[in-house]
Amino acid sequence: MSSSQGSTLSSNVAELVDGSSAHRDVSLLDDVPVYVKELIAGGTAGAFAKTVIAPLERTKILLQTRTEGFQSLGVFQSLKKLLKHEGILGFYKGNGASVIRIVPYAALHFMTYEQYRVWILNNCPALGTGPVIDLLAGSVAGGTAVLCTYPLDLARTKLAYQVADTRGGFRRGMKSIYAQPAYNGIKDVLTSVYKEGGMRALYRGIGPTLIGILPYAGLKFYVYEELKRHVPEEHQSIVMRLSCGAIAGLFGQTITYPLDVVRRQMQVENLQPLSQGNARYRNTFEGLSTIVCNQGWKQLFAGLSINYIKIVPSVAIGFAAYDTMKVWLRIPPRQKSQSISPG
């Protein structure tokens, strides 16, 4: 009898301990502010998506900036050339800077979108609760994230622009460029650029970036949320979110892509010799007109094909991963957050 009672007591104590532990885990997670959870979910989603498409991102930058030896190559030929001369690691050159940039960028982008959305709903009832809210919140969130992380994007572009021949010379008749990279890492880029031109140099190209990100970010969130609204909650699977994200990314990117080309050329213009006919752009609109006059209108869409290949998994994975992280972190659905204050 006493043995049985002891066993029962031990069982009850074990259940109590396990229950208390589980309750503590739930309590700790629930005590974390919503905006912190959104930062974690956004940063994780951004880093995961960016790493998956890193090889395509590197190739796109080489095509956009008309890097010697890559002007006339297609997507797959460029990937093959990079693999031959730089190996697998060549696909990920600049990805460290890209991930370091994308974590705070994506974290701020998603979090501020959620917070701006709630603020607009609570303070601007005249706008209603329709998709225009996603358009406005997404646009402002994109601008906020860009302003906070732009120097890291500049560093990523300069590192990716360098092509070092680590596996022997290029084809006969083509000289190897930047055999000795001008920059050795993110810190070296930021330090060198700051010494050359101060804070203004660190934000070189911010004009076309902001002009491009405002409509792009707004359209991306608008299309994604609008597509999701037409799918019942019980049918919103990972595949559905990937599909909605892919369509949103393609739509937004097509409209704003020429501004991205101008931004990239402005970021690396000090690395390109003037003898190649590369102009210096004072502003976004001068960049657009100069590229059309000197390089042809098709250059405004250079690398767009690879951007399509890249944007499908990038935006799709980003949105799907963010929504999944929101479930794991028990972030309240947006519909239930409209009547509460941010945070």
Side-chain angles (χ1 to χ4, degrees):
M1 178 70 69
S2 61
S3 176
S4 175
Q5 291 176 342
S7 177
T8 302
L9 180 60
S10 298
S11 177
N12 291 337
V13 171
E15 290 178 1
L16 179 61
V17 172
D18 291 342
S20 298
S21 177
H23 178 72
R24 280 198 303 271
D25 291 340
V26 173
S27 179
L28 287 175
L29 189 58
D30 289 343
D31 287 341
V32 176
V34 173
Y35 74 89
V36 174
K37 295 181 183 179
E38 291 167 350
L39 285 170
I40 295 172
T44 301
F48 181 67
K50 184 62 69 175
T51 301
V52 170
I53 53 87
L56 296 173
E57 178 71 15
R58 173 89 197 280
T59 305
K60 185 199 75 170
I61 291 176
L62 293 175
L63 292 175
Q64 282 184 325
T65 54
R66 297 169 60 84
T67 302
E68 183 178 350
F70 289 85
Q71 301 101 318
S72 60
L73 298 182
V75 174
F76 296 106
Q77 290 83 358
S78 297
L79 289 170
K80 184 177 179 180
K81 188 181 182 72
L82 276 174
L83 178 63
K84 179 180 179 181
H85 294 288
E86 296 189 355
I88 295 295
L89 293 180
F91 290 151
Y92 294 91
K93 178 178 287 186
N95 188 56
S98 184
V99 170
I100 290 175
R101 179 194 72 90
I102 203 63
V103 168
Y105 174 83
L108 286 169
H109 197 176
F110 281 107
M111 185 276 288
T112 54
Y113 160 72
E114 302 283 7
Q115 299 300 314
Y116 286 141
R117 188 177 186 277
V118 172
W119 186 89
I120 294 172
L121 287 167
N122 289 340
N123 295 276
C124 304
L127 295 175
T129 59
V132 67
I133 302 299
D134 297 305
L135 184 65
L136 293 174
S139 296
V140 181
T144 300
V146 164
L147 286 172
C148 294
T149 63
Y150 187 79
L152 292 173
D153 181 57
L154 181 75
R156 185 275 304 262
T157 300
K158 289 183 178 292
L159 289 172
Y161 178 74
Q162 298 172 159
V163 180
D165 189 356
T166 59
R167 293 194 170 189
F170 283 99
R171 294 195 307 269
R172 182 173 298 178
M174 180 183 295
K175 62 181 179 179
S176 176
I177 59 175
Y178 299 121
Q180 298 298 323
Y183 301 111
N184 297 317
I186 302 171
K187 182 179 179 181
D188 186 28
V189 174
L190 296 177
T191 302
S192 300
V193 172
Y194 182 78
K195 288 181 178 179
E196 292 171 4
M199 288 298 296
R200 185 173 182 177
L202 288 175
Y203 279 86
R204 179 68 173 169
I206 189 66
T209 301
L210 286 175
I211 294 174
I213 198 63
L214 292 177
Y216 171 67
L219 287 170
K220 185 173 66 174
F221 278 104
Y222 168 82
V223 174
Y224 180 70
E225 295 299 333
E226 184 63 15
L227 290 173
K228 281 177 58 182
R229 283 190 183 97
H230 291 82
V231 180
E233 187 68 30
E234 61 271 15
H235 295 133
Q236 292 194 10
S237 62
I238 293 294
V239 175
M240 184 281 299
R241 291 190 177 98
L242 287 171
S243 300
C244 292
I247 296 172
L250 287 169
F251 184 78
Q253 189 67 200
T254 301
I255 295 176
T256 61
Y257 190 78
L259 295 169
D260 191 44
V261 174
V262 176
R263 171 171 66 106
R264 296 300 182 192
Q265 292 202 12
M266 290 179 72
Q267 286 179 335
V268 302
E269 64 183 11
N270 65 316
L271 298 178
Q272 298 174 318
L274 288 172
S275 60
Q276 293 183 356
N278 297 302
R280 299 293 184 260
Y281 312 135
R282 289 175 295 182
N283 54 60
T284 303
F285 297 106
E286 180 182 306
L288 288 170
S289 60
T290 302
I291 289 175
V292 172
C293 292
N294 297 343
Q295 304 172 25
W297 67 267
K298 291 184 178 180
Q299 182 59 32
L300 292 177
F301 296 92
L304 182 57
S305 60
I306 193 172
N307 217 48
Y308 281 145
I309 298 173
K310 175 185 79 75
I311 210 66
V312 170
S314 178
V315 177
I317 292 172
F319 273 125
Y322 177 67
D323 281 346
T324 301
M325 289 293 297
K326 285 177 66 178
V327 173
W328 289 350
L329 295 173
R330 291 193 288 276
I331 298 175
R334 294 191 186 96
Q335 290 78 7
K336 296 180 180 180
S337 299
Q338 292 177 1
S339 61
I340 62 175
S341 59

